[in-house]
Each structure stands twice: as C-alpha cells, then as structure tokens.
Amino acid sequence: MQFLSTQKPETHHDDYHLLPDSESALPVETDLKNGRRKGASHVVATEAESEKLKLLEGAPVHRKAYLNKYALGGAILASTNSILLGYDIGVMSGAVLYIRENLDISSTQIEILVGSLNVCSLIGSLASGKTSDWIGRRYTIILAAATFLIGALLMGLAPSFLFLMLGRVVAGIGVGYSLMIAPVYVAELSPALTRGFLTSLPEVFINVGILLGYIANYTLSGLPEHINWRLMLGLAALPAIAVALGVLAMPESPRWLVVKGRLSEAKQVLIKTSETKEEAELRLAEIVKAASVFGTSPADSSSLGQAASSSNWRGQGVWKELLLRPSRPIRRILISAIGVNFFMQASGNDAVVYYSPEVFKGSGIHNKKQLVGVTVIMGIAKTFFVLVSALFLDSFGRRPLLLLGSAGMAISLAGLGLGSKFLEYSNSSPGWAIALCVVAVCAAVSFFSIGLGPITWVYSSEIFPLRLRAQGSSLAISVNRLVSGLVAMTFLSISREISFGGMFFALAGIMVVGTIFFYCYLPETKGKSLEEIEALFEDDVVENPKVLVS
C-alpha cells in the first residue's frame, strides 16, 4: 500500500546534485484524465486539493530533484553510445567533400552513401526491441557498439566506393540498435523527477559527437585527399571501443530484471538509484504491478519472480498487441510515438547537418576550409542548446520546450528559405543575405536541439507500457530512421529541382504541421513515473475526484 508522506524524505546531499525545481511526483498509478488510481479503489485529488492536503499534513508541496550519481553514471555510459551516430553525421558532412574527388563519384552516389546509414539503421532499430527483451538492455548496448566498430573500421580502410558502402551498411545497423536502446535503458533506470534530464542525454551526446566530427574535419582537412577522409571515418572506432568497455560497469535495467524474475537484483539497482530505501521499495512495487501482465499476481513479488523466470518471456506477442489488436490508449501511444519520430526527421535537420557545406556553399561561401569552419560554429550552437534543454526538461516540461523548438524551427527555416531565394535571384552575394542564411541555419539546428532533438528520445522511451516499451520504441525509431534516410537520400535531388530556398520553405511548412500535431496530441509527462504515464492516454473521466489516504 502506498502513502502520502507527512515528512520530507531523508536525502543525502553527498550523493545527489540539485537540479532546477521539479514538481513532486508520488509513485502512484495516477490517471490525470479520470482522477483516480488505476486498478484500485483509491482516488486521487485534483492538483489543488492534493497540495492543500500536503500543507495540512506539513508535507512539502514541491520537492527538489536531486540527481543521483549512480543513475547519472549509468545514463552517461549508455548515452556515450550515441556519440557514434553524432560523430558519423558530423564527420560525413566534411568527408564527402574529399570522398567525391578522391573516388570520383557523382552527387547521386553521395546521396546514397550518406542516406544508406540511416536506411540500414532501420534494420537495427527493428531488431533491437526483440533483442533487448531477450538478452537485456545492457548487452544490447554492447552489441550496438561492437557492430558500429566493425562498420567504422570497414569505412576507414575502404579502397573503393562499394567497400565504403559495405561499411556504411554495417555501421547503420549498429546505429539502429544504439538509437533505440540507450533512451529505453536510461528511462528504465532513472527516477521520475530527473528522468527528462537523464533520458535526453543521448541527444546531448549525439550533438557532442557531431561537434567532434566537425572538429575532426577541420583538423584533418589539410592532409592529402586519399588519407584525410579515411582517418575522419576510421576514428569512430575509438569511441566504439570505449563504449563497449564502459558498458561492462553498468547495471542492468531494473524493469527488465523484474520481468526476468530477478527481483533481488532489481531491488539493489533501485536502492542505488533512489533517494531512500522506502522510495526504492515503492518503485519496485509499481514495477511489479506493471509486470503483472506477464502472468502473475502483483501482490506476491516472489511468485512473480518465479513465474517470470520460468516463463522466460522474451517479448513474444508484442507486435500483435501493437499492430493487430491495440486498445484505444495503446493506439494513441503508438500514434504519438510515431508522430514525434516522423516530424523529428521530416524537419530535415539531419539532412541540413549532413549537407551543411553544400547549404553554406549555396549561401556564397566557397572555400573548403571556411565551409568546414562554419559547420564547427553550427555544432557549438547545437551542443549548447541541447544542454540547456536537458537541464530544464524536468522543470519546464516536455510540451513547452517541444512547442517552442518546433515553432522556432518553422520560423528559422522560413528565414533560411528567404535568404536562399534572394541569393538565387541576385547577381551578387550581399553580405546581409549570406549572414541571414548562416544565422538561420544555426537557429534552425539550435531550436531543434531545444525541442525535437532531445524530447523525441524522451517521449519514445517513456510513454509505452513496460511490456511494450522495447519493441514499441523500436517501431517508432524505425520510422525515424526510414524518414531520415529518405530525406538524406533525396535532399540534394529535390533541392536541385526546386532550389534550396524552395526546399527550406517546404520544411518550414512541415514544421508548422508538426507544431499543431504536438499541441493537439502529446500530453505532458514530467514528474510521472513510467507506470503512471500510460494513464495519461486513457479516456475515462470521473468528476469531483477526492483523495483517500491509506
């Protein structure tokens, strides 16, 4: 049985770092729409009534969010895997300038080369859900790093275009695994009050990787053309090795451990990632209740462990529940997850980053060193703003930052289209138009880093119920990868037909539609435990809810 505490939980300030204020979230299975605890006779008060009750009892209305070092360490190690994708995005934008000349390949082949990694990552994304349900989240992260390592080595040693394509295919599969498993693992490990910050770390590390790729381009661009691009691509093997070794020190996801019947191990992980032992026990009780779908009574933890262990559940039946016979809440969850992943890539952000030298070249900058140098500035802007977003996700919430980011992208892309169109019809290249394009590109990627960049991974990993989380996330991220690949492989071709200006106006229109979708369809999830969030998608409404304290 769960309680409303009358005392502040005992905190150990030597184990936690203070983050921006977050609203208190009790670990109960609360339905915000129908105002009651799902599956029980208890009902939960409105926010105002609940806060009043806390004041009467002497309990704090708001609780500070302390960043647990153990959860932070696991999140950083898992998110480091995302550096691999970021590095590839950043480094390829500069490497293609030299690959084109060294291997004498066409613009179409460049598009195929760049986009193939995203299309092939679809394979890893689809397979990662089932794999992680089978062998665990931690070993799936190791598998992702090992696969990318092989791909990076193949690309760095490539003697021909076909060999280079083979390396891209292998690396793409590793990227697909990484993009799905890192956010899911971090979400399942993190306490509710800091989950937004910790789950956004994969996007932070993607941007760090992009920046490192830009820096590698700038540093190695002075080498001979038959060497520089191979070093640029091959250096990705170093972080892959570091990730594979670092993951060995990580704990397994407590939710996966519960499903497998390893309750004592799950409890030890939860104790280390919670403020108090009591909070850990409450979190464990919630997870056990959520895991009751695996065939046992949530009231008996030991029997759950034995049954889960003997049943050896490996994710069977999930695809049928997701795609063939979804309940209405599951259908809404699936549409929300797929929608936010679709608009993340339909925004054209990855293509703008991949082809940023081409975009800046169209803006009047032609020197290769200058082209690469401007991309470094863009990378710094992206990294700075994704850090800002991560720090405030748990205080401002997901929706405000997502709406700000997508609306800002629409305005920035429209400005970029305007500047590009002016340069297209101008006989000269006025400085103000070039400056507008550079500022607009940096603004577009910065607003992406505030909103869609980090929040897509947070939403994808936290809104699915436990039994559907891994494979549901893999399906949504597969859509992400498919759209990313299609945009990357057609961006230059479409831009040649309708001009860069026309392309950016089209992307601005897509972001307007995306902003409307986010406003109408995505609920706020900050401060909710993973086990509470499913209730946000329910339709039942109960009037005049009250609180029963037990």
Side-chain angles (χ1 to χ4, degrees):
M1 191 168 292
Q2 297 167 346
F3 306 92
L4 287 177
S5 174
T6 59
Q7 296 180 347
K8 289 185 180 181
E10 180 185 354
T11 57
H12 304 283
H13 296 275
D14 55 335
D15 291 331
Y16 301 91
H17 298 293
L18 187 62
L19 286 183
D21 286 354
S22 296
E23 292 184 6
S24 178
L26 290 175
V28 292
E29 211 171 340
T30 306
D31 187 333
L32 292 186
K33 288 194 172 185
N34 64 22
R36 67 188 175 195
R37 180 183 296 176
K38 193 177 172 189
S41 60
H42 302 75
V43 289
V44 180
T46 62
E47 182 177 351
E49 291 172 339
S50 180
E51 290 188 358
K52 182 178 179 181
L53 180 63
K54 290 179 186 178
L55 285 173
L56 290 173
E57 294 182 338
V61 174
H62 296 283
R63 194 174 76 189
K64 298 291 185 181
Y66 289 97
L67 188 57
N68 179 280
K69 289 183 178 180
Y70 195 79
L72 177 62
I76 289 175
L77 286 173
S79 302
T80 303
N81 220 20
S82 301
I83 285 182
L84 305 177
L85 172 62
Y87 181 83
D88 181 86
I89 292 174
V91 82
M92 185 56 74
S93 68
V96 292
L97 297 174
Y98 306 101
I99 293 172
R100 184 200 297 265
E101 295 182 8
N102 184 234
L103 298 182
D104 192 24
I105 57 179
S106 65
S107 296
T108 301
Q109 287 176 305
I110 286 292
E111 285 184 310
I112 294 172
L113 177 67
V114 171
S116 60
L117 182 135
N118 295 316
V119 172
C120 293
S121 66
L122 177 66
I123 301 171
S125 296
L126 284 172
S128 58
K130 190 78 170 180
T131 303
S132 65
D133 280 339
W134 182 18
I135 66 174
R137 314 314 195 208
R138 195 166 67 103
Y139 286 113
T140 304
I141 294 174
I142 296 176
L143 177 63
T147 307
F148 191 91
L149 169 63
I150 296 171
L153 292 175
L154 289 174
M155 288 189 290
L157 298 173
S160 65
F161 177 73
L162 289 178
F163 206 97
L164 184 59
M165 281 296 301
L166 175 62
R168 297 289 286 173
V169 169
V170 176
I173 294 173
V175 164
Y177 270 100
S178 174
L179 284 178
M180 173 270 168
I181 194 58
V184 167
Y185 171 84
V186 176
E188 292 188 341
L189 187 71
S190 305
L193 292 181
T194 55
R195 189 180 60 249
F197 170 71
L198 295 175
T199 311
S200 64
L201 287 181
E203 179 66 17
V204 173
F205 279 82
I206 287 176
N207 283 274
V208 170
I210 291 173
L211 182 57
L212 290 175
Y214 288 156
I215 293 172
N217 286 340
Y218 190 80
T219 303
L220 301 173
S221 59
L223 297 176
E225 289 183 352
H226 67 286
I227 294 176
N228 56 12
W229 66 265
R230 288 184 170 86
L231 282 176
M232 292 174 185
L233 299 179
L235 284 176
L238 296 179
I241 295 172
V243 169
L245 294 176
V247 168
L248 296 176
M250 291 164 47
E252 184 51 85
S253 158
R255 287 167 170 84
W256 185 83
L257 290 171
V258 168
V259 170
K260 291 299 181 179
R262 295 154 62 177
L263 296 188
S264 61
E265 295 178 58
K267 184 175 181 179
Q268 291 304 311
V269 175
L270 289 170
I271 288 173
K272 292 179 179 178
T273 58
S274 300
E275 291 186 38
T276 65
K277 186 176 180 180
E278 290 73 20
E279 181 187 337
E281 290 173 349
L282 289 173
R283 290 175 65 190
L284 179 62
E286 277 195 319
I287 297 169
V288 167
K289 177 176 283 189
S292 63
V293 297
F294 297 98
T296 58
S297 169
D300 186 351
S301 301
S302 61
S303 67
L304 171 66
Q306 294 168 1
S309 176
S310 61
S311 65
N312 199 23
W313 186 82
R314 295 179 179 177
Q316 56 268 30
V318 169
W319 288 109
K320 184 182 294 184
E321 183 175 356
L322 278 172
L323 300 177
L324 299 182
R325 292 194 298 272
S327 63
R328 186 167 182 176
I330 296 303
R331 188 183 302 116
R332 291 180 63 186
I333 289 172
L334 190 61
I335 291 172
S336 298
I338 289 177
V340 71
N341 276 276
F342 170 82
F343 284 109
M344 177 188 188
Q345 297 303 339
S347 69
N349 177 80
D350 279 9
V352 170
V353 174
Y354 272 127
Y355 300 116
S356 53
E358 296 288 340
V359 173
F360 290 129
K361 189 184 296 183
S363 301
I365 303 173
H366 299 287
N367 181 276
K368 286 183 180 179
K369 194 82 170 181
Q370 291 178 341
L371 289 172
V372 175
V374 174
T375 60
V376 174
I377 297 173
M378 186 175 72
I380 292 172
K382 280 179 63 65
T383 304
F384 173 76
F385 281 104
V386 77
L387 281 170
V388 171
S389 177
L391 287 171
F392 290 98
L393 259 178
D394 290 305
S395 53
F396 290 168
R398 283 59 156 161
R399 275 174 58 86
L401 291 179
L402 184 59
L403 294 172
L404 171 64
S406 56
M409 279 195 75
I411 296 171
S412 301
L413 288 167
L416 180 57
L418 182 65
S420 299
K421 275 294 183 183
F422 185 89
L423 288 170
E424 179 184 344
Y425 291 105
S426 175
N427 293 326
S428 60
S429 297
W432 70 265
I434 295 175
L436 173 62
C437 289
V438 172
V439 171
V441 169
C442 291
V445 298
S446 297
F447 278 115
F448 178 86
S449 293
I450 289 172
L452 272 169
I455 295 171
T456 297
W457 308 122
V458 175
Y459 257 114
S460 300
S461 60
E462 70 182 5
I463 64 175
F464 285 100
L466 174 60
R467 66 190 181 279
L468 308 177
R469 184 168 299 126
Q471 296 182 58
S473 296
S474 75
L475 178 61
I477 292 171
S478 296
V479 173
N480 181 303
R481 295 292 85 203
L482 178 62
V483 176
S484 177
L486 291 175
V487 172
M489 295 176 75
T490 59
F491 183 83
L492 290 181
S493 298
I494 296 176
S495 296
R496 280 195 296 269
E497 295 296 324
I498 65 175
S499 77
F500 275 126
M503 186 67 173
F504 293 131
F505 280 130
L507 294 176
I510 291 173
M511 288 317 302
V512 170
V513 176
T515 304
I516 296 171
F517 173 82
F518 303 146
Y519 180 81
C520 297
Y521 222 83
L522 298 187
E524 182 56 70
T525 58
K526 73 167 183 173
K528 304 296 175 187
S529 71
L530 295 179
E531 286 66 42
E532 291 178 283
I533 289 175
E534 183 181 0
L536 297 176
F537 293 86
E538 297 283 0
D539 296 320
D540 298 335
V541 176
V542 172
E543 296 187 7
N544 300 321
K546 299 178 181 180
V547 168
L548 294 178
V549 182
S550 57

